C-alpha cells in the first residue's frame, strides 16, 4: 500500500472504494460461490438443510453480514469460517487483472482507500488479482474475530474508516459501492457517494449519482480527475 504524491488540497480529499462486486463485475459470480460455501458451512454447524438459506438471509438482513449472525447465534469458529468460506474461493482463477481499472484509480486526484465488509485476507487477494493492491493507502475491513465488529451499512463502520484513514471532514469523503444501503448511509453522513450497479435503482430506493461499472467513475465526478 502506497501513497502517491499530491498537493495539499488533493490530500484533504479521500476516495473510499468498496471491493467485492464493485471493483470487479458481479457477473463473475463470486457472490454466488460465497453463498454456496456459507450455506454448506451452515449445514456443517447444524443448521437445518431445509431452512439454511432462509436463516442465512435473515442473518444478513439483521446483521449486515451473515457471519455476524452465525457468530452471535451459534458461536462459530471464525478461523474455520475463513478457511471453509472465504479461503476456499477460487479468486485467482476467476478474477483477472484489469488494466483499465488500474488506470482509472491511478488517475483520481484524491487519496485512495479500500473499504470492505470482507476480511483482510480476502480483500488483499481480490486487490492482488486485479493488480491494484499497491494503489491504496490502506484497507478498512471486518475483523470477524473482534467482538461486535462494525460493518457497512452501520454508521460506525464509516466512522472507523475515517479514523483509520485519518479523514476529518465528511465533505472531503467520496465513496463508491454496489449496495444501495451502503450508499445511503454514506450520504447521510455527508459523504459524496456513487452507486455502482448495472440495474438503476428506482426513485423510491435511491436518487443521485449512479454508474453501471466502476470504470465510469470519471463521468460522474470529473472534478476528481481534472
Amino acid at each position: 500500500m502506497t501513497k502517491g504524491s499530491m498537493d495539499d488540497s488533493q490530500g484533504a480529499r479521500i476516495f473510499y472504494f468498496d471491493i467485492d462486486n464493485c471493483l470487479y463485475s458481479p457477473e463473475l459470480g463470486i457472490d454466488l460461490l460465497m453463498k454456496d460455501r456459507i450455506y454448506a458451512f451452515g449445514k456443517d454447524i447444524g443448521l437445518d438443510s431445509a431452512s439454511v438459506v432462509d436463516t442465512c438471509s435473515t442473518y444478513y438482513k439483521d446483521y449486515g453480514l451473515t457471519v455476524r449472525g452465525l457468530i452471535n447465534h451459534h458461536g462459530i469458529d471464525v478461523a474455520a469460517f475463513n478457511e471453509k468460506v472465504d479461503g476456499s474461493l477460487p479468486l485467482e482463477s476467476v478474477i483477472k487483472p484489469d488494466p483499465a481499472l488500474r488506470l482509472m484509480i491511478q488517475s483520481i486526484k484524491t487519496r485512495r482507500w479500500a473499504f470492505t465488509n470482507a476480511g483482510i485476507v480476502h480483500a488483499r487477494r481480490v486487490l492482488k488479482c486485479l493488480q491494484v493492491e499497491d494503489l491504496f493507502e490502506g484497507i478498512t475491513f471486518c475483523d470477524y474475530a473482534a467482538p461486535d465488529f462494525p460493518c457497512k451499512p452501520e454508521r460506525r463502520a464509516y466512522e472507523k474508516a475515517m479514523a483509520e484513514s485519518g479523514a476529518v471532514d465528511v465533505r472531503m469523503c467520496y465513496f463508491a459501492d454496489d449496495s444501495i444501503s451502503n450508499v445511503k448511509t454514506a450520504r447521510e453522513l455527508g459523504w459524496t457517494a456513487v452507486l455502482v450497479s448495472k440495474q438503476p435503482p428506482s426513485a423510491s430506493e435511491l436518487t443521485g449519482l449512479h454508474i453501471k461499472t466502476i470504470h465510469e467513475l470519471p463521468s460522474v465526478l470529473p472534478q476528481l480527475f481534472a
Side-chain angles (χ1 to χ4, degrees):
M1 302 292 172
T2 61
K3 180 177 180 179
S5 61
M6 54 190 72
D7 62 33
D8 290 341
S9 64
Q10 292 168 347
R13 299 185 297 190
I14 182 166
F15 206 106
Y16 298 93
F17 289 87
D18 177 43
I19 296 179
D20 288 299
N21 293 324
C22 183
L23 295 187
Y24 62 80
S25 172
E27 293 177 358
L28 293 182
I30 299 296
D31 188 50
L32 294 178
L33 294 174
M34 175 78 78
K35 286 180 179 178
D36 286 344
R37 285 159 172 76
I38 290 175
Y39 300 153
F41 183 85
K43 294 175 186 177
D44 287 345
I45 64 169
L47 293 184
D48 181 67
S49 297
S51 60
V52 65
V53 173
D54 288 340
T55 299
C56 289
S57 296
T58 298
Y59 289 163
Y60 182 83
K61 293 175 183 177
D62 291 348
Y63 296 101
L65 281 174
T66 302
V67 66
R68 292 178 76 193
L70 294 173
I71 291 169
N72 290 342
H73 293 279
H74 307 279
I76 64 166
D77 181 341
V78 172
F81 179 89
N82 283 330
E83 178 184 355
K84 295 181 179 180
V85 180
D86 286 356
S88 70
L89 290 169
L91 301 180
E92 289 76 13
S93 63
V94 178
I95 302 175
K96 302 303 179 183
D98 188 339
L101 173 67
R102 181 175 179 85
L103 181 60
M104 185 276 290
I105 295 174
Q106 282 179 314
S107 301
I108 195 167
K109 302 300 194 298
T110 69
R111 297 172 56 207
R112 303 180 292 260
W113 198 272
F115 181 19
T116 178
N117 274 352
I120 186 61
V121 174
H122 175 87
R124 285 176 173 162
R125 284 180 67 199
V126 173
L127 296 179
K128 185 176 181 180
C129 289
L130 291 167
Q131 293 188 357
V132 297
E133 184 180 14
D134 61 304
L135 301 183
F136 297 94
E137 288 183 50
I139 305 172
T140 292
F141 60 93
C142 287
D143 181 359
Y144 300 158
D148 193 32
F149 66 87
C151 68
K152 297 177 287 186
E154 295 175 345
R155 291 175 66 97
R156 59 196 183 108
Y158 298 76
E159 292 164 355
K160 179 173 181 276
M162 290 185 69
E164 291 181 346
S165 61
V168 294
D169 188 346
V170 294
R171 296 172 299 177
M172 297 296 182
C173 295
Y174 297 80
F175 179 55
D177 198 292
D178 63 293
S179 163
I180 291 176
S181 297
N182 295 350
V183 168
K184 281 183 176 179
T185 300
R187 291 179 180 173
E188 289 168 359
L189 285 170
W191 293 16
T192 298
V194 181
L195 178 68
V196 183
S197 172
K198 289 196 173 181
Q199 285 293 108
S202 66
S204 61
E205 290 177 314
L206 189 75
T207 58
L209 299 177
H210 165 251
I211 53 179
K212 292 183 178 180
T213 74
I214 194 65
H215 303 81
E216 299 174 359
L217 192 58
S219 68
V220 292
L221 292 172
Q223 69 273 24
L224 300 185
F225 295 85

